[in-house]
Amino acid sequence: MALLDLLGRRWALRVIWELRGDTALNDTALNDTASTFRELQARCGGVSSSVLADRLRELSEAGIIGHSEGGYALTAQGATLLARLAALDEWAATWQPPGRPPEEPDASGGR
Amino acid sequence: MALLDLLGRRWALRVIWELRGDTALNDTALNDTASTFRELQARCGGVSSSVLADRLRELSEAGIIGHSEGGYALTAQGATLLARLAALDEWAATWQPPGRPPEEPDASGGR
DNA sequence: CAGTATCCTGGACGATACTG
DNA sequence: CAGTATCGTCCAGGATACTG
């Protein structure tokens, strides 16, 4: 699945997660809750700007996020992806890796 | 999501995918369709044995796959994960990365 | 603020050889 | 067949400095 090439990269999922709530009404016009580069960087607690820029470009090219004056936000398509990811996240919450305590709800992008 | 640490690793998803169909009836007793190490290695077209062994151990520790006399198979828990992954795969099929032709259905584990 | 340009390093991955 | 043990390579990611 080529999708995993994208989402498996560090911070990719975290960026999407941090943009939950910032959803564009359509693919070109973003709403006013869009996050700026530095905002995202702060919310992702210390990604280096080079890496963040990489992820943002990749996700943009994939049509998952969009970029406008106001900043970055999920595209309509990105929002549908988020829904599926939420389902995975839900599974991960139920997930009981044998021998370890149940996972805390955690959206961290860290490895 | 720590889950991505696991699934993002090379071949991890491919292994799960190749085991689709080989589902244990419960977590300990595997059915007779379980795949052997060499079978899996062949189906994954050229993973080195060291890496395959790593993935199999990680996925086992995660309770996603199981190992018995007959070979490897998904656990009951692993099967529920597979379902969610299928939903993602489904999304990826609909996915239209702007500028590129629609994706072929592809379960390759390659990067 | 919003990125781009460089350089460096750890560790994942792959190949290969080996044991039981 | 079913793995384990070693070793070398390569590149994603991180740090940092810089431009507009």
Side-chain angles (χ1 to χ4, degrees):
Chain A
M1 203 192 301
L3 182 58
L4 258 274
D5 292 3
L6 192 62
L7 302 185
R9 285 187 150 62
R10 208 167 180 179
W11 304 110
L13 196 66
R14 173 70 171 268
V15 164
I16 296 178
W17 197 254
E18 294 298 345
L19 287 181
R20 117 204 75 114
D22 302 353
T23 304
L25 301 176
N26 58 62
D27 284 1
T28 50
L30 306 178
N31 65 9
D32 43 82
T33 70
S35 304
T36 69
F37 188 92
R38 301 288 173 190
E39 270 172 12
L40 268 176
Q41 190 173 20
R43 289 215 247 156
C44 293
V47 212
S48 64
S49 50
S50 52
V51 173
L52 179 57
D54 281 356
R55 286 309 90 81
L56 289 174
R57 185 173 33 70
E58 292 161 5
L59 291 171
S60 290
E61 285 173 1
I64 291 171
I65 68 176
H67 181 216
S68 80
E69 284 275 329
Y72 296 90
L74 293 176
T75 61
Q77 201 175 29
T80 68
L81 173 58
L82 180 63
R84 308 274 177 143
L85 289 176
L88 250 199
D89 194 51
E90 199 179 289
W91 183 92
T94 327
W95 185 31
Q96 262 275 30
R100 272 181 300 278
E103 294 288 330
E104 301 243 331
D106 177 7
S108 98
R111 290 245 184 246
Chain B
M1 205 190 302
L3 183 59
L4 259 274
D5 292 2
L6 192 63
L7 302 185
R9 285 185 151 60
R10 209 168 179 178
W11 303 109
L13 197 65
R14 174 68 170 270
V15 165
I16 295 177
W17 197 254
E18 294 297 346
L19 288 181
R20 118 204 72 113
D22 300 354
T23 304
L25 301 176
N26 59 61
D27 285 1
T28 50
L30 306 176
N31 65 8
D32 44 80
T33 70
S35 303
T36 69
F37 187 92
R38 300 291 172 188
E39 269 171 13
L40 268 176
Q41 189 173 21
R43 289 214 247 155
C44 293
V47 212
S48 64
S49 50
S50 52
V51 172
L52 179 57
D54 281 356
R55 287 307 91 83
L56 289 175
R57 184 173 33 70
E58 292 161 4
L59 291 171
S60 290
E61 285 173 1
I64 291 170
I65 69 175
H67 181 215
S68 80
E69 284 275 328
Y72 297 90
L74 293 176
T75 61
Q77 200 174 29
T80 68
L81 173 58
L82 181 63
R84 307 274 176 142
L85 289 176
L88 250 198
D89 194 50
E90 199 180 288
W91 183 92
T94 327
W95 184 33
Q96 262 274 30
R100 272 182 300 280
E103 295 287 330
E104 302 243 334
D106 179 7
S108 98
R111 290 245 183 246

